[in-house]
Amino acid sequence: MTKAFSPEECFADERLGTSAVRWACAFARHLSIERGLSDNTVRAYCIDIRSYLDWAARSGLDPLQVEYRRFRRYLVELNASGYTPKTVSRRLSAIRTFFKYLNVQNVTQLNPAAATSSPKLGRDLPRKTSDSDIERLLAVCEDDPVGLRDQAFLELLYASGARIAELARLELADVNFSDASIRLFGKGSKERIVPLYPVALDAVERYMRQGRLILLGETHSNALFVSTRGNAMSADSLRRVFKQRAAQAGLDPSLHPHDMRHAFATDLVEGGADLRSVQEMLGHASLSTTQVYTHLSLQRMKDVYKDAHPRS
């Protein structure tokens, strides 16, 4: 199983300073325990904070007491290193949040990132996986215990629009066959119910009946997806399954499990689903995040128009 993320290991460097490391670890625990953020999100925060602490150590500065004038040097270094505006913006956001926490804890009254504007970001449209590629992916699994498991996993990925980490957290009780739905726990452990189409339910039912018990052997687990040793599969394990099956189907190596989530959302929007319903099924906190799929749908219509209209 994947080793749990450890903030102490992330900040394990005596050059960073004892006080800075102690407060960075406390901040990570605050994010995890009090705010209920996922391990992946906490890890991302820690990586960004570690970058800032490394810079402060190289510059001979106390990272908890850096004023805005000197903090600008950090931004200069990020830009000179060729980081994308998205990465710079994310790091600034993490540092702002870190210093807000320090302010509340009366560690410092400073927040050098608060006065710094994040780079303006263009909105990248998510990639739309073609229907033919999805069909090829869903047709590669063998009729054995591992194949049945992988088929159920891939069907659920496309049927529910779930994040890979959400599928890794699934337990048997989260699949409701009588109601044709699945219970997912998203960011911040927020619960949502997503309906499932019959083919996906059949794939899950067949895996549970014919494949999962064989994989479990004498092991006991409530996890829906289990390895050949009977252990609960992590998000990383499921990503590897996806990559292997995509390669087996002869698909683009850059295809990612999240592309199936994009395909799910785009297909719903193009099929006439209202944005509020799609927002609920995706577990988006803001409708503006879901609205990107209307732009993707519009782009597809433009492409069809260009190809089909005689004067285009």
Side-chain angles (χ1 to χ4, degrees), residues 130-301:
S130 69
D131 294 341
S132 61
D133 280 355
I134 292 175
E135 290 297 329
R136 287 165 61 189
L137 180 63
L138 296 177
V140 298
C141 297
E142 304 82 8
D143 196 17
D144 59 20
V146 170
L148 292 173
R149 179 200 67 196
D150 293 355
Q151 184 72 37
F153 158 60
L154 293 172
E155 287 285 0
L156 278 185
L157 198 60
Y158 179 53
S160 67
R163 304 175 180 92
I164 196 81
E166 294 170 347
L167 292 188
R169 293 178 62 181
L170 281 177
E171 296 188 350
L172 297 176
D174 293 326
V175 182
N176 189 327
F177 288 97
S178 62
D179 199 34
S181 65
I182 189 171
R183 178 173 57 183
L184 299 170
F185 293 90
K187 294 182 177 180
S189 297
K190 292 181 180 178
E191 178 182 334
R192 69 184 189 278
I193 305 296
V194 179
L196 296 177
Y197 51 69
V199 174
L201 280 171
D202 290 344
V204 175
E205 190 275 334
R206 192 174 175 214
Y207 156 62
M208 290 173 63
R209 181 167 43 84
Q210 300 180 20
R212 185 176 177 277
L213 292 178
I214 295 175
L215 295 176
L216 274 177
E218 310 226 345
T219 308
H220 175 76
S221 175
N222 289 324
L224 176 60
F225 293 113
V226 296
S227 69
T228 53
R229 295 185 178 182
N231 298 320
M233 296 182 71
S234 66
D236 286 341
S237 298
L238 292 177
R239 285 190 191 94
R240 286 194 290 272
V241 167
F242 182 88
K243 286 294 185 182
Q244 291 166 359
R245 293 302 184 178
Q248 187 179 343
L251 303 182
D252 186 337
S254 68
L255 193 68
H256 189 273
H258 216 70
D259 292 322
M260 301 292 280
R261 178 171 165 87
H262 295 324
F264 165 84
T266 307
D267 287 343
L268 286 178
V269 172
E270 290 181 348
D274 67 277
L275 279 183
R276 285 292 182 189
S277 296
V278 178
Q279 177 191 2
E280 288 292 323
M281 285 185 275
L282 290 174
H284 284 161
S286 170
L287 186 62
S288 63
T289 308
T290 314
Q291 285 175 329
V292 68
Y293 295 104
T294 63
H295 299 306
L296 194 63
S297 181
L298 178 59
Q299 183 60 49
R300 187 168 181 178
M301 284 191 286

Side-chain angles (χ1 to χ4, degrees), residues 24-196:
C25 290
F27 173 63
R29 289 191 292 272
H30 162 74
L31 295 176
S32 177
I33 298 171
E34 297 181 33
R35 291 184 53 182
L37 301 185
S38 69
D39 275 357
N40 286 338
T41 302
V42 175
R43 180 186 291 107
Y45 268 102
C46 288
I47 290 171
D48 290 335
I49 298 301
R50 172 63 194 257
S51 165
Y52 167 68
L53 297 183
D54 283 337
W55 166 80
R58 290 195 306 271
S59 304
L61 300 172
D62 178 353
L64 307 183
Q65 302 295 336
V66 173
E67 296 180 345
Y68 170 68
R69 180 174 55 84
R70 290 182 172 176
F71 181 76
R72 286 185 299 178
R73 299 178 195 169
Y74 175 60
L75 297 181
V76 171
E77 181 175 303
L78 289 179
N79 291 323
S81 299
Y83 287 105
T84 65
K86 185 175 182 179
T87 299
V88 174
S89 180
R90 191 195 67 230
R91 290 196 172 172
L92 284 175
S93 177
I95 295 167
R96 283 191 202 102
T97 307
F98 178 45
F99 270 90
K100 286 179 182 177
Y101 170 78
L102 296 176
N103 295 160
V104 171
Q105 300 299 321
N106 292 320
V107 177
T108 179
Q109 298 305 310
L110 300 173
N111 191 338
T116 307
S117 299
S118 296
K120 291 186 177 180
L121 303 177
R123 170 162 281 187
D124 294 329
L125 292 179
R127 175 171 60 177
K128 172 64 170 72
T129 307
S130 69
D131 294 341
S132 61
D133 280 355
I134 292 175
E135 290 297 329
R136 287 165 61 189
L137 180 63
L138 296 177
V140 298
C141 297
E142 304 82 8
D143 196 17
D144 59 20
V146 170
L148 292 173
R149 179 200 67 196
D150 293 355
Q151 184 72 37
F153 158 60
L154 293 172
E155 287 285 0
L156 278 185
L157 198 60
Y158 179 53
S160 67
R163 304 175 180 92
I164 196 81
E166 294 170 347
L167 292 188
R169 293 178 62 181
L170 281 177
E171 296 188 350
L172 297 176
D174 293 326
V175 182
N176 189 327
F177 288 97
S178 62
D179 199 34
S181 65
I182 189 171
R183 178 173 57 183
L184 299 170
F185 293 90
K187 294 182 177 180
S189 297
K190 292 181 180 178
E191 178 182 334
R192 69 184 189 278
I193 305 296
V194 179
L196 296 177

